[in-house]
Amino acid sequence: MTTGPRGMRTIRSRRALAGYLFILPFIIGFLAFMVRPMISSVIMSLNEVTLSAQTGVTQKYVGLANYSYAFTVDPEFNQMLVDEVIRMVTHSLATMVISFMIALLLNQRFRGRTLARAIFFLPVILSSGVLVGIETDNSLIIGMKELIQESNGVNISDALITLLNASGAARSALDVVYELINAVYDVVMASGIQIIVFLSGLQTIPRSMYEAAEVEGSSAWESFWMITFPIISPLLIVNMIYTIIDFFMKTDNQIMEKIHEEMFINLNYGLSSALSWIYFAVAIAMIGISSLIISRGVKHYE
Amino acid sequence: MSRHETAKRSGFWLRNRKSGGMLLRQSVHQRAGSVLRALMVFGLCFLIIQPILDKISVSFMQERDLYDTTIIVVPRHLTLENYSLASLLMNLDKSLLNTALISLLTSVLQIIACALAGYGFARFEFPLKKLWFACVILVIIIPPQTISSALYLHFRYFDILGIFARLTGGPINLKGSTLPYLMLCATGMGLKNGLYIFMIRQYFRSIPQSLEEAAYVDGCSTLGTFLRVLLPQAVPILVSCFLFSFVWQWTDVFYTRLFLPTANVMYLSVRLSGLAESLRTYVSTRLGIPSPPIGYVMQIISTGVLIVAAPLLLIYVFAQRWFIETISATGIKE
């Protein structure tokens, strides 16, 4: 304060410079490895890109043709997009509910709580990268399976299906049960981080609050809605965004596979860029809508 | 039953009568609640662990045990052959070393870049700070897949520059091209780096500012303050970000395939994803059978998954605290 306005300014500008120096690596990386590919990806999505060994990359401007192709010509993309959006919505809602329930469970005192917490967090470590669905999603294995069945003339899954078909209604019931268990498994595997975030939020609520509510004659159900939920609700946004991004980034969804296929197998870079931008726009819209809805809800409780 | 206990028990019934059955109802309620809770917790934990247990049991079986319907979990013919075959097919010694090296190197680079950026965002005021922080959020939100075609072409461009032959399919010498990926990591653009910057920033913000002021009064430079005063304080978050980064790099295929030379340098994740293919070539060249039975392929893949996951499990067992507690410390603060 005694240095006067001039001295203050130099200190401030020196601090500003230091701040810039600290984030400089990030700025460089962002411009070179994020903005640049983003721009070239947008350009590619507006072009027909062809690759050849002699001339390298050649681009021909086609306007929005790639986008209109995706929506109007491509036979499967619309359907895939709708499917994925529905899956995204149900999956993220289910994740929120289940991870919140598990956090409530883990917030109680019982023996082996730390172990249970560690197990619920295990999928964050183990279900990443290649370890996700290597058995089920391996197209090579599926191909091999068909090959084996052709060459041997023995078709196990077909035999099983006819057997189950014979039992009529049992099959659809079995399907429902099977899908349900599968869905719960998928959700639990994807909610490690969310559980911990909710749990830590729950642990910040002082016990005295519940005790006061109990003295005032509120039931456990009421204190859940009047105390627990309002305090936790800001975390809903964090978790929702995280869940959507996480879902969006998984390589095992149909759209990601299609983008990958267009790029690496059909070498159609323009179309694959257009597809990824459409998908990205959808995800951003989902994040926007859900945080809007939740923040409305949060305001309501405050 | 000792006298004391009988007394206690009769006391219970006495008290129960006095409370008009309230005590009994309450304790039954509590007991039922804890049984229900135990069931749910056990069931959900089992759901998570079961695939791992399943893989462990399959990995020790001989192939004929797979087709024996009387064998359910415990293998009858114990063998380690699956492990030796899977590690042979994955070039375990080489790929383990490479994976460990690259994971270590990229994690260190990433954490340096993220710690710098996190500190910059937490403690300094500078023009356009909000904009740059929005860029961090953007990095978190934009999945690498969206720009992957552009990145891939970028990679090809590297290809065309010095090391050709990718399109012609010949053996490629991509020795120099680990560099682009290291560049990405050193500038905070690696796998999930936006998240680390965000987490580290949160942590720095929770450290009292008076610490730096004291260092400033004592004449410590800005960089010196960061290195000598702030970094030691931030060890927990740095360790846990490092662990996350290490673990995720270990299993990553996306960045590894895109940026790292995988043709002659082996990485565990890439070898694992190609395990079925290499098993088929192995079987067809060695035994003259066109393709191995599907059950056997699954068995070898399960073994491979276990081999890749084992070091991670080990790290997790010992460093569980770092993983979980920093998430809970940084997650709740908006």
Side-chain angles (χ1 to χ4, degrees), chain A residues 15 20 33 36-37 51 105 108 118 121 124 128-130 135 140-141 185 200 238 248-249 263-264 269 273, chain B residues 37 47 51 55 123-124 127 132 142-143 145 149-150 152 154 156 184 248 251 269 277 294 316 328 332 334:
Chain A
R15 294 281 292 175
Y20 260 107
F33 303 119
R36 212 191 95 168
L51 284 180
L105 264 182
Q108 295 169 355
F121 197 72
V124 178
S128 61
V130 262
E135 301 100 329
L140 197 84
I141 292 189
Y185 177 75
S200 55
V238 180
F248 179 54
M249 294 223 204
M263 184 175 2
F264 292 101
Y269 290 92
S273 307
Chain B
R37 184 179 59 209
L47 197 69
K55 286 196 182 67
R123 276 300 200 272
F124 293 93
W132 289 117
I142 292 189
Q145 284 94 338
S149 35
Y152 184 68
H154 192 65
R156 282 213 162 168
L184 275 186
W248 280 331
T251 54
S269 56
E277 176 70 38
I294 192 77
Y316 185 60
S328 42
I332 48 173
E334 249 298 85

Side-chain angles (χ1 to χ4, degrees), chain B residues 254-303:
Chain B
F254 180 75
Y255 276 93
T256 311
R257 280 234 183 92
L258 211 54
F259 297 116
L260 293 176
T262 50
N264 41 14
V265 187
M266 321 275 184
Y267 294 103
L268 274 182
S269 56
V270 178
R271 299 298 293 181
L272 179 62
S273 63
L275 189 57
E277 176 70 38
S278 37
L279 179 68
R280 187 168 57 177
T281 25
Y282 178 82
V283 166
S284 61
T285 49
R286 286 294 171 87
L287 308 173
I289 308 169
S291 57
I294 192 77
Y296 189 57
V297 176
M298 293 308 235
Q299 204 179 12
I300 295 297
I301 283 184
S302 298
T303 316

Side-chain angles (χ1 to χ4, degrees), chain A residues 108-122:
Chain A
Q108 295 169 355
R109 272 158 216 276
F110 58 90
R111 231 179 292 153
R113 197 177 78 162
T114 338
L115 180 69
R117 197 179 68 161
I119 290 175
F120 281 118
F121 197 72
L122 191 62

Side-chain angles (χ1 to χ4, degrees), chain A residues 97-115:
Chain A
V97 172
I98 287 190
S99 59
F100 192 51
M101 272 168 51
I102 293 177
L104 282 174
L105 264 182
L106 290 179
N107 195 34
Q108 295 169 355
R109 272 158 216 276
F110 58 90
R111 231 179 292 153
R113 197 177 78 162
T114 338
L115 180 69

Side-chain angles (χ1 to χ4, degrees), chain B residues 84-151:
Chain B
S84 56
L85 183 59
S87 39
L88 176 77
L89 291 176
M90 291 201 295
N91 285 62
L92 189 65
D93 43 352
K94 253 192 193 168
S95 55
L96 192 66
L97 187 70
N98 282 328
T99 310
L101 278 179
I102 198 80
S103 301
L104 211 64
L105 191 60
T106 56
S107 304
V108 167
L109 285 175
Q110 285 176 19
I111 295 312
I112 291 173
C114 293
L116 287 173
Y119 183 62
F121 281 118
R123 276 300 200 272
F124 293 93
E125 287 305 322
F126 44 85
L128 298 180
K129 185 178 165 183
K130 284 224 168 90
L131 175 79
W132 289 117
F133 195 65
C135 293
V136 175
I137 304 295
L138 203 68
V139 171
I140 299 178
I141 293 177
I142 292 189
Q145 284 94 338
T146 308
I147 51 170
S148 59
S149 35
L151 282 172

Side-chain angles (χ1 to χ4, degrees), chain B residues 120-317:
Chain B
F121 281 118
R123 276 300 200 272
F124 293 93
E125 287 305 322
F126 44 85
L128 298 180
K129 185 178 165 183
K130 284 224 168 90
L131 175 79
W132 289 117
F133 195 65
C135 293
V136 175
I137 304 295
L138 203 68
V139 171
I140 299 178
I141 293 177
I142 292 189
Q145 284 94 338
T146 308
I147 51 170
S148 59
S149 35
L151 282 172
Y152 184 68
L153 282 184
H154 192 65
F155 173 65
R156 282 213 162 168
Y157 178 70
F158 272 100
D159 220 44
I160 291 161
L161 249 185
I163 338 112
F164 217 169
R166 168 132 201 153
L167 287 170
T168 47
I172 346 153
N173 181 12
L174 291 177
K175 235 176 208 166
S177 68
T178 315
L179 211 61
Y181 189 50
L182 294 184
M183 256 149 56
L184 275 186
C185 293
T187 52
M189 286 296 129
L191 190 60
K192 300 210 186 195
N193 280 6
L195 200 63
Y196 305 146
I197 294 178
F198 186 77
M199 280 165 65
I200 292 174
R201 166 185 174 263
Q202 298 296 91
Y203 197 88
F204 274 128
R205 274 157 63 111
S206 72
I207 297 174
Q209 196 132 26
S210 52
L211 224 61
E212 285 152 279
E213 281 158 12
Y216 182 70
V217 170
D218 285 345
C220 198
S221 68
T222 313
L223 189 66
T225 313
F226 173 65
L227 291 177
R228 265 180 265 158
V229 182
L230 265 295
L231 275 190
Q233 294 286 315
V235 165
I237 189 75
L238 297 180
V239 169
S240 78
C241 282
F242 173 82
L243 287 173
F244 273 117
S245 154
F246 185 85
V247 161
W248 280 331
Q249 176 62 44
W250 189 274
T251 54
D252 172 68
V253 249
F254 180 75
Y255 276 93
T256 311
R257 280 234 183 92
L258 211 54
F259 297 116
L260 293 176
T262 50
N264 41 14
V265 187
M266 321 275 184
Y267 294 103
L268 274 182
S269 56
V270 178
R271 299 298 293 181
L272 179 62
S273 63
L275 189 57
E277 176 70 38
S278 37
L279 179 68
R280 187 168 57 177
T281 25
Y282 178 82
V283 166
S284 61
T285 49
R286 286 294 171 87
L287 308 173
I289 308 169
S291 57
I294 192 77
Y296 189 57
V297 176
M298 293 308 235
Q299 204 179 12
I300 295 297
I301 283 184
S302 298
T303 316
V305 167
L306 283 179
I307 292 175
V308 173
L312 303 182
L313 270 177
L314 209 68
I315 293 174
Y316 185 60
V317 166

